[in-house]
Amino acid sequence: QLVESGGGSVQAGGSLRLTCAASGYDYTDKCMGWFRQTPGKEREGVAVIYAGGGVLVYADSVKARFTISQENAKNTWSLQMNNLQPEDTAMYYCAARIGVSASDCHSGGLKVQSSTHWGQGTQVTVS
């Protein structure tokens, strides 16, 4: 089970921090991250991190503004979002794929995969 927290409303230029708490995902061969979706558009990858270390991948649209991190408990990861802009408004989903190599996480982590597990989503609104 993946449970997101931390969404909300903020003015442009503001910050929010999303956190995903995972239960039953105690694996190091795990690619975890965040995706987002707006009505009428496909779900897109925002950032991913590999539980075993060595992989951080960001969508071009969020580079230098968003930071993904793994908390001390490996089943928790966060997305720090700074300098938020109206175009960042979306439903944000926590995501995880298990049994994944670091190479696969790096090359395919931002793609929606049939094997991806999803959280229920948390709304981020930037005005």
Side-chain angles (χ1 to χ4, degrees):
Q1 183 182 15
L2 304 176
V3 179
E4 303 97 337
S5 61
S9 297
V10 66
Q11 292 186 338
S15 298
L16 285 172
R17 184 178 182 87
L18 306 181
T19 297
C20 181
S23 57
Y25 286 83
D26 194 16
Y27 306 93
T28 55
D29 57 346
K30 177 175 67 194
C31 187
M32 21 192 223
W34 295 91
F35 288 67
R36 66 188 182 186
Q37 188 171 22
T38 54
K41 292 189 176 181
E42 293 185 353
R43 193 168 296 187
E44 63 174 3
V46 174
V48 293
I49 184 170
Y50 191 62
V55 175
L56 286 172
V57 185
Y58 295 92
D60 288 344
S61 59
V62 306
K63 282 180 181 177
R65 299 189 299 124
F66 291 10
T67 302
I68 188 170
S69 61
Q70 179 175 258
E71 307 303 318
N72 288 335
K74 291 188 180 297
N75 279 338
T76 302
W77 54 97
S78 297
L79 184 70
Q80 177 66 40
M81 305 184 293
N82 296 330
N83 191 23
L84 282 160
Q85 300 299 315
E87 53 266 34
D88 295 315
T89 295
M91 185 70 77
Y92 282 71
Y93 296 90
C94 171
R97 285 194 294 139
I98 59 175
V100 175
S101 68
S103 176
D104 187 358
C105 186
H106 183 267
S107 63
L110 293 181
K111 299 176 184 177
V112 174
Q113 308 271 5
S114 59
S115 57
T116 302
H117 300 184
W118 301 102
Q120 81 284 357
T122 185
Q123 179 67 37
V124 171
T125 301
V126 186
S127 59

